[in-house]
Amino acid sequence: DASAATAGTAPTTDAAAATDTEAELRSICLSQRAACWCQLQRYPEALSDCDAVLFVDASNTAARMRRAFTREALEQYAGALEDCRAVMALGAGNADVSASVARLTRLAAQKKKVDEANKAATPAPPPAAMPAPPPLASQVASAAAAGAEAAAAARARGTAAFKRCEYKQAADAYYEACRHDPGVAIHFCNLAIALLKLNQPAHAVTAARRCTELAPEMVKGWYRLGSAHLAKGDLSAARAAFERGLPLATKQEQADLRRGIADAQRALEALPAGIEEVSPAPSPVSPSAGTPAPPWSAGSPSAKKMAGKVDLGKAAETARRVAAGKAGVGAPPELSKLGFSGFERAFLTLWARGKAPPDRNADLAAFLRQLPQDETSLVGYIGDAMSEETLSALVLAAERALLPSDPPAAAGLLCRLTAVRRFGMLWMFLGPRENQAAAAVLRGASGGADAEAIRASAGKCGVEL
């Protein structure tokens, strides 16, 4: 009897299993189709497919991340933020998801302000005979369509320039595409390779990282990020980026990624014992004959012996001495001999990712005062070498070390930094902490003689005075 009962229920069990398998396959197909819609920038279709998957399985983290990406592309920032937080609540969060939460929190708050301002500025209803203005959603959709069209045109120009090996024009065009349509990962992927061709690996890392944030499933983004880290000399980060792309890659893509992993591993193994991996830096201007280079200069004999390490005590002493000399508007003589890379290396060592103790604030201020005191000199001194990390450190250090004692100096430094090449792209990737610091610095000197410059810088930083 037991055997008969079991045999009688087997078809029902098999049917249920078949139904579950069919539902699972349908979810996989819809999720993959949503990814394809995203690549084609057909976001409404992608959103519909993601909704269908999540209706059946609300714990599908891949579908939630794709829907978050789609919602962000449609400027539905609050919904995208909700999806990212759900992914973290499901235990699938990582550094990329955390970065997305921070970015979307900022974007959602900004959009809320815009919506409230638009609502407050809405005039009284027009007479019945007059046509009603288009709804806000229609205006947003029109603006998004115009942005996508302009981005597509810029991307086409960039691709044409890239094929002609005109990498500067290609990078400018791809950057324009990023500004017009900042939610599309491929624009940042293209920008990264153009910047690599221009030997600007730090900027390439920034662009490639944004690509992976927007589309974690895009293998090419992880390959670009690994290549940029490798060119920059961040060997462990390069290997990690290549490895992140492996599970997503086709057989051919896996071969490229494995070659990148092997290159990074060989470089790591070639490092002498006890030597830290460091980013390669451009050679500074050679010191004049008979004048020894400071120990924190990349080209000095002591720097070569240190292989990337900085004698922080001597660097700080040099900074205080030069700052106390109150050099003119250009770069101080000692500083101009170092090149920006020498200054950057010593400053970031002192800053220690914000962990420098309070008793080093005077040293931080002395370093900041070494930078050229007029816009043209600072732009020429930094060139294209500014990285996301360095810009963040300079802004936060200005708030911490300069603002309390000299608000005009802090604001002046920030105003000059906004003129540095590719400032807009770098600022795009910084978070709320840097925005708060910029607002505090600019507000601290908003009543001074440079009110117009401060207002212009506030606009570039996206902060309100």
Side-chain angles (χ1 to χ4, degrees):
D1 293 340
S3 299
T6 302
T9 59
T12 303
T13 304
D14 292 343
T19 301
D20 291 343
T21 301
E22 182 180 347
E24 182 180 356
L25 288 173
R26 183 173 184 274
S27 293
I28 292 173
C29 291
L30 287 173
S31 182
Q32 294 299 322
R33 189 170 71 175
C36 294
W37 288 135
C38 288
Q39 290 295 320
L40 294 171
Q41 301 181 28
R42 293 175 61 174
Y43 301 118
E45 291 93 333
L47 184 60
S48 177
D49 282 349
C50 290
D51 287 341
V53 174
L54 292 170
F55 179 78
V56 176
D57 180 10
S59 63
N60 189 317
T61 55
R64 280 206 176 272
M65 285 306 299
R66 286 200 177 98
R67 189 169 73 173
F69 167 73
T70 302
R71 284 176 161 176
E72 184 177 0
L74 294 172
E75 297 190 5
Q76 299 175 8
Y77 302 126
L81 178 59
E82 179 185 346
D83 281 331
C84 288
R85 285 176 172 165
V87 170
M88 297 186 74
L90 289 168
N94 54 32
D96 295 329
V97 179
S98 299
S100 296
V101 168
R103 182 181 70 258
L104 290 166
T105 299
R106 182 173 72 252
L107 292 173
Q110 291 173 349
K111 189 170 189 299
K112 184 179 179 181
K113 285 184 178 181
V114 171
D115 291 344
E116 290 174 351
N118 289 337
K119 184 177 180 181
T122 301
M130 294 179 62
L136 179 58
S138 176
Q139 297 178 28
V140 171
S142 298
E149 183 178 352
R155 178 184 174 185
R157 293 198 305 273
T159 301
F162 193 92
K163 290 179 179 178
R164 297 192 302 269
C165 299
E166 296 173 353
Y167 301 124
K168 176 66 167 63
Q169 291 86 339
D172 289 341
Y174 288 144
Y175 177 45
E176 182 182 343
C178 292
R179 289 191 295 106
H180 284 303
D181 207 353
V184 178
I186 192 63
H187 298 327
F188 292 92
C189 188
N190 290 337
L191 177 59
I193 185 60
L195 291 170
L196 277 173
K197 291 291 187 180
L198 286 172
N199 195 27
Q200 295 182 22
H203 289 316
V205 166
T206 301
R209 184 185 296 123
R210 176 61 171 163
C211 174
T212 61
E213 290 172 356
L214 289 171
E217 72 281 2
M218 184 187 290
V219 178
K220 189 180 292 185
W222 293 110
Y223 182 77
R224 293 280 184 264
L225 182 58
S227 300
H229 276 307
L230 192 60
K232 189 171 179 281
D234 297 335
L235 306 178
S236 298
R239 183 178 59 189
F242 289 132
E243 289 173 345
R244 282 291 300 274
L246 272 178
L248 310 167
T250 64
K251 186 174 181 180
Q252 178 58 49
E253 290 170 335
Q254 286 181 351
D256 293 336
L257 290 165
R258 288 197 172 97
R259 277 194 293 271
I261 293 171
D263 290 342
Q265 187 60 39
R266 278 195 299 272
L268 281 168
E269 292 171 354
L271 289 175
I275 299 298
E276 302 174 1
E277 59 177 290
V278 295
S279 302
S283 299
V285 177
S286 299
S288 57
T291 304
W296 44 305
S297 166
S300 69
S302 56
K304 292 177 182 177
K305 290 180 182 178
M306 291 187 287
K309 295 183 179 180
V310 174
D311 186 332
L312 190 54
K314 292 183 179 180
E317 180 183 353
T318 300
R320 287 192 296 270
R321 187 173 67 253
V322 175
K326 297 181 180 179
V329 297
E334 292 186 49
L335 181 60
S336 64
K337 296 170 186 175
L338 301 178
F340 181 67
S341 62
F343 169 87
E344 179 183 45
R345 186 179 287 179
F347 176 73
L348 291 179
T349 302
L350 175 62
W351 176 244
R353 297 184 182 274
K355 295 179 182 178
D359 60 4
R360 305 309 298 268
N361 284 352
D363 293 335
L364 288 169
F367 269 78
L368 296 176
R369 291 181 190 280
Q370 285 191 84
L371 291 170
Q373 298 297 302
D374 74 296
E375 181 179 299
T376 302
S377 297
L378 183 67
V379 169
Y381 177 64
I382 294 176
D384 292 317
M386 180 72 79
S387 68
E388 179 185 352
E389 178 187 7
T390 304
L391 178 59
S392 170
L394 290 172
V395 173
L396 295 177
E399 179 197 30
R400 171 176 157 179
L402 280 182
L403 180 61
S405 60
D406 195 349
L413 173 60
L414 181 53
C415 289
R416 294 193 296 278
L417 286 173
T418 61
V420 171
R421 287 192 284 277
R422 303 196 190 284
F423 172 85
M425 184 185 75
L426 295 170
W427 194 258
M428 187 189 308
F429 304 125
L430 299 184
R433 182 68 190 89
E434 290 82 4
N435 275 276
Q436 293 167 6
V441 166
L442 294 174
R443 288 170 187 158
S446 59
D450 295 329
E452 184 176 345
I454 289 174
R455 282 194 299 272
S457 298
K460 293 179 181 179
C461 295
V463 300
E464 296 181 1
L465 297 179

